[in-house]
Amino acid sequence: MWLDVKEHNVRVKHIYAAAGFRVGMLRECIRTAHSYETLIIMGMLKRECRPQDGEFYRLKL
């Protein structure tokens, strides 16, 4: 599974990293009115999910 996060969203990046997601990035891929933003791509393989009570780990935000 994967998700994307804007580079400036430090709080969310920290939460997903703590849950085991690994980080990649698409540098300056989003055009805004005055500049470009970098998009952080975070992913996790099914085998990397942490089991909890017999189910796959679910993030609680």
Side-chain angles (χ1 to χ4, degrees), residues 6-45:
K6 294 221 176 161
E7 185 176 32
H8 58 80
N9 197 340
V10 177
R11 179 185 278 173
V12 171
K13 288 190 309 187
H14 176 74
I15 290 169
Y16 287 130
F21 281 81
R22 299 202 182 171
V23 177
M25 73 173 55
L26 299 172
R27 296 178 61 199
E28 297 184 354
C29 67
I30 301 172
R31 186 175 181 178
T32 64
H34 304 290
S35 65
Y36 288 87
E37 292 184 15
T38 296
L39 189 62
I40 305 298
I41 306 296
M42 302 183 83
M44 179 185 299
L45 299 174

